[in-house]
Amino acid sequence: MKILKRTNNVLPGFGPTMGYTLLYLSLVVLIPLSALVFKTAGLSWHDFLEAVAAPRVLASYRITFGAALAAAGINAVFGVLVAWVLVRYPFPGKRLVDALVDLPFALPTAVAGITLATVYSANGWAGKYLEPHGIKVAFTPLGIIVAMTFIGLPFVVRTVQPVIEELDAEIEEAAACLGASRWQTFRRVLFPLLTPSVLTGFALAFARGVGEYGSIIFIAGNMPMVSEITPLLIITKLEQYDYQGATAIATVMLVASFTMLLVINLLQRWSRRYAD
Amino acid sequence: MHTKNIETLLVALSLATISALPAFAADSVTLQNVSYDPTRELYQEVNTAFAQQWQKKTGQKVTIRQSHGGSGKQARSVIDGLDADVVTLALAYDIDAIAEKGLIKPGWQKELPHNSSPYTSTIVFLVRKGNPKKIKNWDDLVKPGVSVITPNPKTSGGARWNYLAAWAYALHQKGGNDAKAKEFVTRLFKNVPVLDSGARGSTNTFVQRGLGDVLLAWENEAFLAINELGRDKFEIVTPSESILAEPPVTVVDKVVDKKGTRKAAEEYLKFLYSDEGQKIAAKHYYRPTDPKIPSKLAKVRLYTIDQVFGGWRSAQKTHFVDGGVFDQITGAAGRK
Amino acid sequence: MAAPTTTYTGKNNGNHRITEPAPVRWLLTAIALAFLALFLALPLAAVFSQAFAKGWETYLAALWEPDTLSSVKLTLITAAVAVPLNLVFGVIASWAIAKFTFPGKNLLITLIDLPFSVSPVISGLIYVLIFGRQGWLGPWLDAHDIKIVFAVPGIILATIFVTFPFIARELIPLMEAQGKDEEEAALVLGASGLQTFLRVTLPNIKWGIIYGVILCNARAMGEFGAVSVVSGHIRGSTNTVPLHVEILYNEYNYTAAFAVASLLALLALVTLVVKTVAEWKVQQQLERE
């Protein structure tokens, strides 16, 4: 801690950069989002509860948050693997594969949804082979997970990738010299170094999945209580010109996502300290 | 760093937008028509025809810009600031919502003939070629093993017509009452595997994904789907009775008065009632309200919302609000 | 944190002296590729196969259509405003956050993450609540004839919001991992603050910036939900490329819809070019040194 205090004085620019950060953050994020909260505040406590805790809404929370967790988990495992392979192993066509990772960002979510539904529905390229085995993807909750995995993947890969690229070969060599096996080196040395970025990627993929709308409605089936996601219920409220009900559900989602992001960010700090 | 340039760009952009909007030269006028999804093709043709007629009559050049989307969403956009000179939406309920905010004068529906609906439509069935499930009427939809595709009535105007048409049919059967109608519609929705958010989404599910045995659709949408996607793959079944869908049109008073476009906007809507306008509507498989204009559509016994449900407001309140009949049905219907 | 003397070469691939045994490498590569094939390559192939379903001519005709071109123009303008603004913010914010300790840091980072988790539906709605006719500033804007929502400024604002965290989020972990020893050394050796940033920090975070900008740009061009709420869908005027794709699809014009969508998919190729050029530049730089 003493060191940190000292360095605070050495590096310049904290005041202006922090000032600008807070200003821009307020203008772009905080003030607009406060509109949401103010609109919701117009509701009485009773109406608020009625809007956000109806059985159908509760079911949608379970589906949305559950699927987002599953998708972020899948991405955390495979995303790290992809990032690792992309940085460390040579193989033909690697650059193309690397570029492919950004696809979910570039493809408009509606196109992604339509395309995924095309590929995974019973008459689609992948669905054709899955359906006979009893695996239904399109128009089931599984479809939601597939869509969320699709849109969340680049978050994990692209947060972990620069960190793997920055990893110093010397650490691994040192570990090897000290007699550690490759697996031990990974588990004891590399993994702790990667954990913060993996957690960040996980958190971002999760957060993105929770809010996603465009791609999911095409593949989810949208059946109430079964495959209806929370953002769809917000749209449903808006269709009834119920702006306050819509913002009430949105506020709940916002608070839930914020809390989870905060917890994961704290966890990440903690793991970084552990790695030090 | 770059912020200065960007600020300049932003200012320039907003200025460009501002200057593009008001102050039209007298020799040209731009109208914004905010409409719902299935009318794209109709209004493309109407706009060209009207522009020609208007120029001949007044020497003025008129440009009509189109915006399409779900009816409710479009109404919200107008409420929240989209400057529509005219709205041509799927249901009166959505225009009422705009009127409630003071943008349209109350009593708008009496301004033009036929409840301000220049053309009407109804709900029909689209089935696969040869009608393998032998679907002829509404009661075939509730049979076990029949898979029905319809959008979600909570998010799609068209789907609300589907739902109400089924309800009205059940009500009109011998010994029909609200309880029986509810049971009928519950059984119907048990056969629905997917609820898309909009009418065109459902058509795509039915056509592209190959899901379902029958699609409940607007009559004009069903014909369009057949023309665009394959005469040899689908056919239309018209049930014995259905609902009379009256998509209304009106001028947005506040906008036209501000922009000074009232005259052109009113003429534009009147054009829809003219012989030429009616013919174009008939060509696009809408039912013209002028009986003189021939229509190639099958005769069906049609009921209005007012007759069966006492108007849109009450239908909306009973059936489609949160906790309404539709929610009870789907909550109970479950799946699998 | 590890190794303060990290000099990034951009060529950290494959030439590690220590690596896994070959079978493990092959297995991991195979799993990674299979996963990507299932989730990314297959959908991508589907987009292109639909786009070219009716041949090259239809493909080009779909792109060379006035409404498509105007949507491309609008999308380019939007990204050209949103990305630089968020880049400046990202660099400045990550400096403040990664190089200093202060209370509430976690809270601040979480707030920066927030736009990721806000449903696109909502990110459009908030601007309607503020700038819409019934919104906070609605009457004032109306009186002064300024259009924000359902016009270009609204589309840009929504895009900035949605892409807000990308660059900052890329840079913060990277800068934290790098620590501040190098900057401190530079300062001790007499460099000014700005010199230190330009000569020491900037080269170190170059990769993060490149990734961040690519992602931010891709998302800015591809955003659908939020923009859809504030656009008004006026053909040839307030339709961005993603919105235009939806319209074409809803007109049963599948080939054209996927043709236009494939334009956005091609953005991934831009990534490829940018990264290759950047790596090549770094290589040159190293050779000169």
Side-chain angles (χ1 to χ4, degrees), chain C residues 1-260:
Chain C
M1 192 74 218
T5 49
T6 310
T7 35
Y8 187 68
T9 61
K11 273 281 165 202
N12 204 351
N13 31 23
N15 50 8
H16 253 248
R17 260 164 290 167
I18 301 188
T19 181
E20 288 72 43
V24 177
R25 282 200 318 257
W26 294 334
L27 182 68
L28 292 181
T29 312
I31 297 175
L33 289 181
F35 177 77
L36 290 178
L38 200 61
F39 279 91
L40 295 182
L42 216 54
L44 182 69
V47 169
F48 278 94
S49 97
Q50 302 251 29
F52 288 106
K54 289 184 188 156
W56 266 103
E57 271 142 48
T58 329
Y59 180 82
L60 289 177
L63 299 185
W64 209 253
E65 199 254 335
D67 285 345
T68 307
L69 292 178
S70 93
S71 73
V72 169
K73 200 169 110 197
L74 180 58
T75 293
L76 289 178
I77 291 174
T78 307
V81 179
V83 176
L85 279 175
N86 284 337
L87 172 61
V88 170
F89 165 77
V91 173
I92 290 178
S94 54
W95 175 269
I97 289 168
K99 303 284 183 192
F100 299 89
T101 6
F102 54 90
K105 191 189 260 199
N106 283 317
L107 185 70
L108 184 60
I109 294 181
T110 309
L111 285 174
I112 291 177
D113 283 343
L114 211 48
F116 278 142
S117 70
V118 176
S119 183
V121 177
I122 294 302
S123 10
L125 186 66
I126 51 179
Y127 289 101
V128 172
L129 291 177
I130 295 175
F131 298 110
R133 209 187 315 252
Q134 320 291 330
W136 289 350
L137 300 176
W140 186 86
L141 292 171
D142 217 25
H144 292 79
D145 249 333
I146 302 173
K147 295 294 292 176
I148 304 276
V149 285
F150 309 113
V152 178
I155 294 175
I156 293 179
L157 278 176
T159 308
I160 292 178
F161 179 90
V162 171
T163 57
F164 171 83
F166 275 91
I167 297 171
R169 221 48 191 91
E170 198 69 44
L171 293 183
I172 294 169
L174 190 60
M175 275 196 180
E176 283 187 331
Q178 286 169 347
K180 50 199 163 193
D181 301 357
E182 290 181 52
E183 279 86 358
E184 280 168 0
L187 287 167
V188 169
L189 292 172
S192 76
L194 193 63
Q195 277 175 328
T196 310
F197 174 76
L198 291 177
R199 301 267 176 82
V200 180
T201 314
L202 210 53
N204 274 341
I205 59 170
K206 192 163 40 194
W207 288 101
I209 290 188
I210 290 172
Y211 278 132
V213 167
I214 288 170
L215 297 190
C216 183
N217 182 60
R219 189 88 164 84
M221 293 189 170
E223 176 54 22
F224 172 77
V227 171
S228 155
V229 177
V230 294
S231 137
H233 302 276
I234 304 165
R235 238 190 138 122
S237 163
T238 61
N239 273 331
T240 60
V241 174
L243 298 181
H244 191 60
V245 171
E246 194 216 13
I247 286 184
L248 289 172
Y249 188 77
N250 277 343
E251 286 172 355
Y252 305 120
N253 200 345
Y254 302 125
T255 316
F258 280 100
V260 178

Side-chain angles (χ1 to χ4, degrees), chain B residues 6 9-10 13-14 17-18 21-22 32 40 44 65-68 73 77-83 101 103 200 203-204 208-209 221 224 228-229 255 258, chain C residues 50 77 80-81 84-85 88 128 131-134 142 144-147 149-153 156 228-229 231-235 237 247 249-252 254:
Chain B
I6 289 144
L9 181 56
L10 264 179
L13 277 174
S14 22
T17 335
I18 297 161
L21 278 167
Q32 174 69 52
R40 294 158 205 270
Q44 255 162 28
R65 295 200 295 185
Q66 282 177 259
S67 163
H68 296 272
K73 186 180 173 190
S77 295
V78 174
I79 288 173
D80 286 324
L82 181 58
D83 278 328
K101 297 288 176 186
L103 297 173
R200 296 237 163 152
T203 313
N204 281 321
Q208 294 285 95
R209 314 276 160 268
E221 282 285 278
L224 182 70
E228 296 273 323
L229 304 167
V255 174
K258 192 171 158 193
Chain C
Q50 302 251 29
I77 291 174
V81 179
L85 279 175
V88 170
V128 172
F131 298 110
R133 209 187 315 252
Q134 320 291 330
D142 217 25
H144 292 79
D145 249 333
I146 302 173
K147 295 294 292 176
V149 285
F150 309 113
V152 178
I156 293 179
S228 155
V229 177
S231 137
H233 302 276
I234 304 165
R235 238 190 138 122
S237 163
I247 286 184
Y249 188 77
N250 277 343
E251 286 172 355
Y252 305 120
Y254 302 125

Side-chain angles (χ1 to χ4, degrees), chain B residues 94-109:
Chain B
D94 288 325
I95 298 185
D96 280 338
I98 305 175
E100 258 169 45
K101 297 288 176 186
L103 297 173
I104 298 170
K105 287 188 195 119
W108 59 270
Q109 212 167 0

Side-chain angles (χ1 to χ4, degrees), chain B residues 14-150:
Chain B
S14 22
L15 283 180
T17 335
I18 297 161
S19 57
L21 278 167
F24 293 100
D27 58 347
S28 83
V29 59
T30 305
L31 293 179
Q32 174 69 52
N33 177 2
V34 171
S35 193
Y36 62 117
D37 254 326
T39 58
R40 294 158 205 270
E41 294 77 13
L42 167 70
Y43 279 108
Q44 255 162 28
E45 197 169 339
V46 166
N47 292 347
T48 325
F50 174 71
Q52 276 172 6
Q53 197 210 54
W54 184 253
Q55 185 149 30
K56 221 180 277 166
K57 216 157 88 183
T58 65
Q60 201 179 33
K61 190 173 174 313
V62 60
T63 316
I64 296 139
R65 295 200 295 185
Q66 282 177 259
S67 163
H68 296 272
S71 187
K73 186 180 173 190
Q74 294 291 80
R76 282 203 312 282
S77 295
V78 174
I79 288 173
D80 286 324
L82 181 58
D83 278 328
D85 298 272
V86 297
V87 286
T88 52
L89 296 177
L91 4 140
Y93 178 74
D94 288 325
I95 298 185
D96 280 338
I98 305 175
E100 258 169 45
K101 297 288 176 186
L103 297 173
I104 298 170
K105 287 188 195 119
W108 59 270
Q109 212 167 0
K110 300 275 164 280
E111 293 287 320
L112 291 165
H114 303 291
N115 277 331
S116 288
S117 303
Y119 43 79
T120 63
S121 188
T122 187
I123 301 300
V124 299
F125 308 154
L126 191 67
V127 297
R128 305 202 182 273
K129 191 77 195 173
N131 198 357
K133 294 269 165 115
K134 305 267 175 295
I135 291 157
K136 293 271 172 263
N137 211 341
W138 290 98
D139 43 10
D140 294 318
L141 302 183
V142 301
K143 286 184 180 151
V146 173
S147 171
V148 183
I149 304 293
T150 168

Side-chain angles (χ1 to χ4, degrees), chain B residues 175-311:
Chain B
N177 55 29
D178 275 345
K180 287 217 170 115
K182 186 174 170 183
E183 196 221 311
F184 182 80
V185 177
T186 307
R187 276 164 63 203
L188 173 61
F189 274 88
K190 267 212 177 95
N191 283 345
V192 176
V194 181
L195 285 172
D196 282 287
S197 59
R200 296 237 163 152
S202 280
T203 313
N204 281 321
T205 299
F206 184 74
V207 171
Q208 294 285 95
R209 314 276 160 268
L211 213 67
D213 302 309
V214 51
L215 171 77
L216 305 188
W218 292 101
E219 191 171 38
N220 63 302
E221 282 285 278
F223 276 101
L224 182 70
I226 284 196
N227 287 345
E228 296 273 323
L229 304 167
R231 231 165 245 291
D232 48 339
K233 289 185 199 138
F234 308 101
E235 54 190 74
I236 290 174
V237 172
T238 315
S240 68
E241 68 156 87
S242 195
I243 202 104
L244 178 71
E246 298 172 298
V249 302
T250 191
V251 165
V252 183
D253 296 295
K254 214 171 163 185
V255 174
V256 290
D257 287 344
K258 192 171 158 193
K259 282 173 63 182
T261 48
R262 176 176 284 280
K263 189 155 181 290
E266 281 176 351
E267 286 302 319
Y268 176 64
L269 293 187
K270 276 188 199 141
F271 177 76
L272 296 171
Y273 287 92
S274 72
D275 279 2
E276 197 179 355
Q278 292 281 298
K279 273 182 199 147
I280 296 174
K283 183 176 152 199
H284 288 273
Y285 305 100
Y286 286 89
R287 290 168 182 252
T289 41
D290 186 342
K292 291 198 306 290
I293 305 297
S295 159
K296 52 203 154 181
L297 302 172
K299 288 251 179 297
V300 196
R301 209 146 31 109
L302 296 172
Y303 296 93
T304 67
I305 294 284
D306 291 354
Q307 285 166 357
V308 187
F309 300 94

